[in-house]
Amino acid sequence: MSVEFSVFLIAIAFVGLVVSVIALLRKVLVSLDEANKVLAEARTAVRDINSEVGSVLQHANEIAVEVKDKIRAIDAIVNSAQDVGQILHTVTDTARRAVAVLNYSSQAVSPEYVPSNKITIRKTSIEAAAKETDRI
């Protein structure tokens, strides 16, 4: 009886083991199904994000082109302002020289020194100032 009882216990243990393995495999299958669903959702999310990123990059590219155009326009304005500044500098320098020439001609001072702006004046510089004044 002990051999029959041992075989019976082994059979019951085997059935219990098989039932446990089946339950474990079902849980694994449920987990795999859930993992597949999560992966499918992740793929969908990645596709959505990919299309959104594409549109954002396209929009950013358009903005970059607009910014480049604005920078070029501002650069042209800055260059024009620099040209105007140089012209104003030339005009004021010419006016200063003209005033110096007028001061020199109206005062009886030494022809080598004008005290109002400390410019040395020679005959050639007076002629140059007159030419610059005529040019303006």
Side-chain angles (χ1 to χ4, degrees):
M1 183 135 166
S2 82
V3 174
E4 292 174 356
F5 185 69
S6 295
V7 170
F8 179 71
L9 284 178
I10 291 173
I12 289 176
F14 184 73
V15 169
L17 180 65
V18 169
V19 169
S20 297
V21 169
I22 290 173
L24 179 65
L25 288 175
R26 284 185 180 174
K27 288 182 182 181
V28 168
L29 286 175
V30 168
S31 296
L32 285 175
D33 286 341
E34 289 178 11
N36 282 336
K37 288 178 185 177
V38 168
L39 284 174
E41 291 174 4
R43 284 183 188 135
T44 304
V46 166
R47 286 183 190 133
D48 293 343
I49 290 172
N50 191 18
S51 65
E52 290 177 16
V53 166
S55 66
V56 167
L57 287 175
Q58 183 179 5
H59 186 66
N61 191 25
E62 291 170 1
I63 290 174
V65 168
E66 288 178 15
V67 167
K68 273 186 177 179
D69 292 342
K70 303 280 186 212
I71 287 174
R72 285 185 188 132
I74 290 173
D75 193 34
I77 291 171
V78 168
N79 287 339
S80 296
Q82 185 178 9
D83 292 343
V84 168
Q86 288 175 348
I87 290 169
L88 286 176
H89 176 71
T90 303
V91 168
T92 56
D93 190 48
T94 303
R96 182 177 53 85
R97 288 183 184 183
V99 168
V101 168
L102 291 176
N103 282 340
Y104 174 72
S105 65
S106 67
Q107 296 176 0
V109 291
S110 169
E112 296 297 322
Y113 181 75
V114 177
S116 62
N117 57 8
K118 298 180 183 177
I119 298 176
T120 57
I121 300 177
R122 296 186 182 99
K123 185 176 180 182
T124 57
S125 63
I126 294 172
E127 292 172 357
K131 286 180 184 177
E132 286 184 40
T133 307
D134 290 340
R135 189 179 66 182
I136 294 175

